[in-house]
Amino acid sequence: MFSIVELIGKKRQGEPLADQEIRFIIEEFSADRMPAYQMSALAMAIFFRGLDDRETATWTDAMLRSGRVLDLAALGAGRVDKHSTGGVGDKISLPLAPAAAAAGVIVPMVAGRGLGHTGGTIDKLEAIPGYDAALSVDAFKRVLGEVGCCIIGQTEEIAPADKRLYALRDVTATVESIPLICASIMSKKLAEGIEGLVLDVKVGEGAFMRTVEDARELARRMVAVGRQMGTRVVAFLTRMDEPLGRMVGNACEVEEAVATLSGEGPADIVELTEVLGGAMVELARGVSFDEGRARIRAALADGSALDRWRRMVFAQGGDLDRLPRPSGAVAVRAGRAGVVQAIDGREVGLVAMQLGAGRARREDTIDPAVGIRIDKKVGEAVAEGEALATILTGAARHVSEAAMARLGAAFEVGDRPVTTRPLVLERVG
Ligand code: URA
């Protein structure tokens, strides 16, 4: 038995917490014996003082044990998932899970919803009429056994302590703490019963981690926690300055994912699917990364990834033929000719959210047909009056001048030629 007040004070002074103290904190919080104000104070102390690798691993393990840990061993070896720290236009999980399954990986994916400027995989999938992201664990296992991949939303049973803590962090300005982000992500992922995990740590203006140094530290932490807990983890730092692909929204991102699965995806989406998928095959099947990447490329080219996708969506009740279509399209045009120098992904994500493609608060509802098409990406030339982006409308056809102006301002058009920078910056682990 410890005193919570003393433990908060200990962390406030920058002292490490012992393993038993951390387990006590998570148990008390989970059992409603530690009030939200004390956990908020502790989260702020951790925000400033940090947790070392041992503390982070113990914190992760305690949150993981607050709920159910799936046992998927009966499905066989090769269970590997991917997680992204979240970005604008990031629909990679949609083509990736079926492509990896076609290449011999078992992909039990528990994905999240969007909040703020970033979208969420589950919101995108739920744009498909009938898609059931709330399968029971038994149904999840059945689809995994039949198709090799299944994507569901976080259940109440997986890492409930994280769910409560995340809600507190969200309203106490303590989300951006590297050890807390690490423990939050890893507690959920390690509860999936996986043997390996590939992480896409986003860096840049549109991401949680604005600098390469912070992203590298988060990646290093997650790889270390995985190692301590017996799961192989590989992380890639990838750029998130401009939106990924050309579509930002929900139904329109599903369409772009289907194009990728049909061999017609935008270059950045294809590259990321190949790189992350290549590492998944490497971890699952013990082949080299290059061989893994070649297998993903083949699955995208020969239709086997598309076939897995259709089977997964069908098995989860979705009807792709009834994907919502936009009610109209409104172009945002360039005020001058030039070359697109930069696109503020965060701003594009926020405009999409305001238009109804995302939610500012958890209880907000989404219009799946709403989206933004990026007509000109960074480095592309634009003529005066040509469309930089197009707003795809949903139930509300009217688009305010303010939204159009804000979207237009997210594009910087200039005269300098733009040298393309690599999308994948480095690999950790
Ligand atoms: N995503 C999570 O799941 N948790 C965090 O803390 C941040 C991003």
Side-chain angles (χ1 to χ4, degrees), residues 262-285:
S262 309
E264 291 160 10
D268 52 356
I269 299 284
V270 174
E271 183 184 355
L272 217 43
T273 305
E274 284 183 10
V275 168
L276 300 172
M280 289 172 77
V281 180
E282 175 190 348
L283 291 182
R285 295 289 153 225

Side-chain angles (χ1 to χ4, degrees), residues 83 85 162 166 169 175 180-181 184-185 188 208:
H83 180 81
T85 56
D162 173 64
Y166 192 87
R169 289 166 56 211
V175 168
L180 290 180
I181 294 176
S184 168
I185 292 174
K188 287 180 290 223
F208 272 128

Side-chain angles (χ1 to χ4, degrees), residues 138-209:
D138 284 346
F140 183 53
K141 287 183 186 172
R142 181 178 47 75
V143 177
L144 280 169
E146 286 168 11
V147 186
C149 57
C150 185
I151 309 178
I152 57 169
Q154 200 186 343
T155 71
E156 292 296 323
E157 295 166 301
I158 290 186
D162 173 64
K163 199 166 185 187
R164 299 182 61 199
L165 177 54
Y166 192 87
L168 276 187
R169 289 166 56 211
D170 208 21
V171 293
T172 55
T174 49
V175 168
E176 289 92 345
S177 150
I178 289 177
L180 290 180
I181 294 176
C182 170
S184 168
I185 292 174
M186 295 303 284
S187 63
K188 287 180 290 223
K189 287 285 142 180
L190 297 179
E192 288 174 0
I194 47 176
E195 299 155 295
L197 177 64
V198 175
L199 292 162
D200 180 3
V201 181
K202 302 280 183 210
V203 194
E205 283 309 311
F208 272 128
M209 298 290 120

